[in-house]
Amino acid sequence: MNGLLASLGVSNPVLAAPMAGGPTIPAMVAAATRAGSLGFLAGGYKTAEELAAQIGSLRGSTPVFGVNLFAPNPVPVDRDAYHRYAVAIQVEADQYGLDLTSISPLEDDDQWHAKVDLLRADPVAVVSFTFGIPDPSVIRDLHRAGSLLVQTVTTPEEARLAASSGVDALAVQGFGAGGHYGTLTPDHLPVPVALPDLVRQVRHVVALPLVAAGGLANRVDVAAVLQAGADAAMVGTVLLRTDESGASDPYKSALGEGGDRQTLVTRAFSGRPARALPNLFTARYDAIAPEGYPAIHHLTTPLRRAAAAAGDSDRINLWAGTGHASAQEGSAEKTLSRLAEAL
Ligand SMILES: Cc1cc2nc3c(=O)[nH]c(=O)nc-3n(C[C@H](O)[C@H](O)[C@H](O)COP(=O)(O)O)c2cc1C
């Protein structure tokens, strides 16, 4: 990656992770560039048109950046379990005048084909994938378009599989990561392996450049993953409260008040395991949430939207990695520069 990063003009090996659902906005990607780092637009949940607009808004000021996509790897929901869950969480939606029980399960592909077409036609420096490994034709086409390709993996087995797909680098995501666990097998919960150990395990089986992510909170954590064989580090949670984060106000406040609270891995919001701060919603529904992505994500979206608008942090997904206590206010540029000091 160091060679790859140098070829992109990136001097700071602490990269800014893509964070879909609001936190990553073009300003955060531009801040990463100012810090000598590399940022990724979060293509997930957006329409292809919305992603195109964000790409367009960065082009002039920030020529080198990445785009992250959710590659299809659906976990179809069981219809009965879906309806039982909709009925269970309806009590939360009642106070916003929403009817979740009438929403049919939606198993869409997050406009995958339209987004790939966009990146074929309007290439960016780096494209990264999570949740699934794209078809060989997509890898071939995006390579032809001139993009470097990065695949998220969470185990050595996934690393082997990803390496054989022809991508250029791997994002090795550890169990402490905030947000969705980018595993190829979301029916399995993350195995608690310390990130430096996971990097060593992956380094042992693949020769590709590695970007280590998950729970990195300070310079010591960053140095440890580089020491273990990663070529770069990537942080998400520590950027969530920064000036350039588009996270909602109740989300930022909850992080600010998070103290040393333990995070949990939950399917309650999306039907796919994700690490979050506990709140009323996880306390009530974590235990009964079915598997099923993206259907459960779509089911809870109207509630989360209404709750965010109302400043209600009890009914939104407070994605957070294990290092959330280090998420500070201030500029993202300074945060990324500070994490890379004396490396
Ligand atoms: C709010 C939030 C949203 C995220 N969204 C994405 C995403 O859209 N795509 C992706 O590949 N990873 C996503 N991630 C995971 C990050 O890429 C990265 O693995 C993680 O932030 C690293 O762990 P940390 O949050 O402890 O630093 C998200 C993480 C958070 C906290």
Side-chain angles (χ1 to χ4, degrees):
M1 193 80 185
N2 292 337
L4 290 187
L5 289 179
S7 73
L8 297 170
V10 173
S11 54
N12 178 339
V14 184
L15 313 186
M19 293 189 281
T24 294
I25 51 177
M28 182 178 286
V29 178
T33 297
R34 287 198 300 279
S37 160
L38 177 72
F40 291 78
L41 286 174
Y45 310 134
K46 292 189 176 70
T47 64
E49 291 74 24
E50 287 165 345
L51 178 59
Q54 289 208 336
I55 291 173
S57 78
L58 271 180
R59 283 283 187 211
S61 62
T62 310
V64 175
F65 58 91
V67 168
N68 174 260
L69 298 182
F70 296 163
N73 182 5
V75 185
V77 76
D78 174 273
R79 293 239 155 188
D80 291 341
Y82 173 94
H83 287 295
R84 274 197 305 275
Y85 195 55
V87 168
I89 65 175
Q90 177 58 37
V91 58
E92 310 303 333
D94 283 342
Q95 51 195 296
Y96 293 109
L98 299 167
D99 178 9
L100 303 185
T101 59
S102 62
I103 303 175
S104 301
L106 176 58
E107 307 279 10
D108 68 341
D109 68 357
D110 197 44
Q111 297 200 8
W112 167 249
H113 296 285
K115 290 175 192 174
V116 169
D117 284 348
L118 168 70
L119 296 175
R120 275 195 194 103
D122 188 10
V124 296
V126 185
V127 181
S128 70
F129 309 104
T130 190
F131 295 172
I133 299 178
D135 289 341
S137 62
V138 171
I139 305 241
R140 185 200 58 213
D141 288 359
L142 293 179
H143 267 154
R144 278 192 191 147
S147 300
L148 291 171
L149 305 181
V150 181
Q151 176 69 46
T152 300
V153 297
T154 62
T155 62
E157 296 71 38
E158 291 180 358
R160 259 200 216 104
L161 212 62
S164 66
S165 77
V167 295
D168 304 290
L170 303 181
V172 179
Q173 191 198 42
F175 81 108
H180 281 117
Y181 189 52
T183 177
L184 302 175
T185 53
D187 49 332
H188 291 78
L189 290 179
V191 180
V193 177
L195 187 57
D197 292 337
L198 180 61
V199 167
R200 277 186 210 99
Q201 291 172 9
V202 170
R203 176 49 72 232
H204 196 64
V205 296
V206 299
L208 288 177
L210 305 180
V211 184
L216 302 177
N218 53 45
R219 274 179 289 192
V220 174
D221 294 343
V222 169
V225 294
L226 298 183
Q227 182 88 41
D231 302 89
M234 188 154 68
V235 295
T237 297
V238 293
L239 299 174
L240 282 169
R241 295 180 67 214
T242 59
D243 303 336
E244 294 87 352
S245 161
S248 67
D249 289 341
Y251 185 8
K252 283 186 173 176
S253 304
L255 283 162
E257 292 155 13
D260 55 7
R261 258 195 297 167
Q262 290 252 326
T263 54
L264 82 164
V265 175
T266 183
R267 295 188 177 97
F269 295 103
S270 69
R272 208 183 201 283
R275 188 172 290 280
L277 281 174
N279 61 2
L280 174 143
F281 196 85
T282 60
R284 288 188 179 161
Y285 305 109
D286 176 56
I288 61 162
E291 277 175 28
Y293 182 88
I296 300 296
H297 159 80
H298 290 303
L299 172 67
T300 66
T301 294
L303 170 62
R304 291 183 285 140
R305 233 178 238 147
D312 170 7
S313 62
D314 267 326
R315 292 169 187 82
I316 56 175
N317 48 305
L318 302 172
W319 296 157
T322 49
H324 67 88
S326 299
Q328 300 296 323
E329 293 178 329
S331 92
E333 177 184 348
K334 280 209 185 104
T335 302
L336 292 168
S337 300
R338 212 169 35 234
L339 286 170
E341 260 168 33
L343 281 179

